[in-house]
Amino acid sequence: MSDLPVTDPRLADIEAQRPYLMRYAMAQLRDSLLAEEAVQEALLAAVEGLASFQGHSTLRTWLTSILRFKIADQQRRVVQERSRMETGDADSQDDEAWLDALFDETGHWRDPPQAWANPEAALEQRRFWETFERCLERLPARGGRVFFKREVMGEDTDDICRAEGISASNCWVILHRARLGLRSCLELHWFGTGTADGA
Amino acid sequence: MAPEDDLNCRQASRLLSLAGERALTEGEVRALRLHLDECLMCVNFESQLRFLHKAAKRYFHG
């Protein structure tokens, strides 16, 4: 960016969005090198295209939409690479086996979900978000990515499956596993006995 | 004990999760309701799913 004339005050505003964009890219790519690359490409594209930014949306929304394209490019490359090495079915069998372990032979919870004390209050606590982040990071890579696209971006499940190169039912299993994994991690590390108040 | 065609927790939790992806059929909704009437653990799971959805949105969008 140093070659470009630093006359537009919005350049600093763009740079200020970098941490947010990094977090956004990390959640989907789960690889800091790939994420940095995508963010860098997005910021460069934004600076070059700043004239076309009309201010109808917020700067962050505009930058995020550019970043989405860059992330999609990265993911296409990654998926192509991965599909040469493994098949989606093997992964899904692994997810099914993981789910099996959560329930006994009659289909009852081995580790029954507890009533969480005052979850709304947790949302206001910084330490809760640290726990949430750690739990997200522990999800299997693909589970975390699919969960993010579905729950945060609200992307259509069919589109997500297509991008991941897997069937709809495998996609559901992956999402289900991610939710169960996140649930049990939060229960263990936050909502469990004695930690519900974050103390 | 529950009749054999009743849902167990494994099936009920799967349907609860699936409800986020597609509309459940009438039969699925009925079976799920019957199960939730009697299973506090799956009721807990249902509220946790809603919480996760909310927390995930909040985490990334502030």
Side-chain angles (χ1 to χ4, degrees), chain A residues 14 21 36-48 62-71:
Chain A
I14 287 179
L21 297 171
E36 262 166 40
E37 221 170 282
V39 169
Q40 193 57 28
E41 284 179 18
L43 289 176
L44 281 173
V47 169
E48 283 166 16
W62 181 65
L63 289 170
T64 308
S65 64
I66 297 173
L67 180 58
R68 283 181 76 159
F69 284 110
K70 301 298 177 189
I71 290 174

Side-chain angles (χ1 to χ4, degrees), chain A residues 34-197:
Chain A
L34 290 179
E36 262 166 40
E37 221 170 282
V39 169
Q40 193 57 28
E41 284 179 18
L43 289 176
L44 281 173
V47 169
E48 283 166 16
L50 194 51
S52 72
F53 175 60
Q54 302 292 318
H56 295 310
S57 55
T58 67
L59 188 63
R60 177 183 276 194
T61 307
W62 181 65
L63 289 170
T64 308
S65 64
I66 297 173
L67 180 58
R68 283 181 76 159
F69 284 110
K70 301 298 177 189
I71 290 174
D73 284 347
Q74 293 276 27
Q75 282 176 337
R76 256 192 299 279
R77 270 174 254 157
V78 172
V79 167
Q80 278 166 6
E81 205 143 292
R82 198 177 37 219
S83 67
R84 282 197 291 269
M85 301 191 297
E86 53 171 323
T87 72
D89 285 345
D91 272 14
S92 301
Q93 277 161 20
D94 177 58
D95 286 323
E96 287 287 358
W98 186 88
L99 287 171
D100 277 335
L102 285 187
F103 300 90
D104 66 19
E105 53 287 347
T106 61
H108 284 92
W109 298 96
R110 285 188 197 280
D111 179 20
Q114 308 294 312
W116 289 354
N118 211 354
E120 294 297 318
L123 297 175
E124 306 305 326
Q125 297 182 49
R126 190 179 50 80
R127 286 189 54 237
F128 168 77
W129 293 110
E130 291 168 10
T131 306
F132 187 79
E133 194 163 45
R134 278 204 303 276
C135 287
L136 270 181
E137 284 164 5
R138 282 185 198 184
L139 294 177
R142 180 145 76 181
R145 207 165 53 232
V146 171
F147 177 83
F148 176 83
K149 287 183 179 177
R150 181 66 197 138
E151 298 281 5
V152 181
M153 303 311 301
E155 282 181 34
D156 192 68
T157 313
D158 289 342
D159 293 340
I160 300 172
C161 303
R162 213 170 300 127
E164 293 285 330
I166 46 180
S167 70
S169 63
N170 286 352
C171 218
W172 289 336
V173 170
I174 289 169
L175 269 170
H176 188 40
R177 173 179 178 170
R179 290 172 180 138
L180 282 162
L182 203 48
R183 177 215 85 70
S184 100
C185 181
L186 287 176
E187 188 160 294
L188 185 64
H189 297 286
W190 185 267
F191 291 106
T193 325
T195 55
D197 60 355

Side-chain angles (χ1 to χ4, degrees), chain A residues 20 27 96 100 107 109 112-116 119-120 124 133 148 150-151 157 172 175-176 179 183 187, chain B residues 8-10 13-14 17-18 20-21 41-42 44-45 48-49 51-61:
Chain A
Y20 168 80
E96 287 287 358
D100 277 335
W109 298 96
Q114 308 294 312
W116 289 354
E120 294 297 318
E124 306 305 326
E133 194 163 45
F148 176 83
R150 181 66 197 138
E151 298 281 5
T157 313
W172 289 336
L175 269 170
H176 188 40
R179 290 172 180 138
R183 177 215 85 70
E187 188 160 294
Chain B
N8 60 34
C9 296
R10 182 186 167 130
S13 63
R14 195 179 271 248
S17 192
L18 190 57
E21 269 61 72
M41 300 176 282
C42 287
N44 287 340
F45 179 60
Q48 291 171 7
L49 284 179
F51 176 78
L52 288 181
H53 180 68
K54 188 171 176 182
K57 277 206 147 26
R58 182 101 165 246
Y59 174 68
F60 290 100
H61 297 305

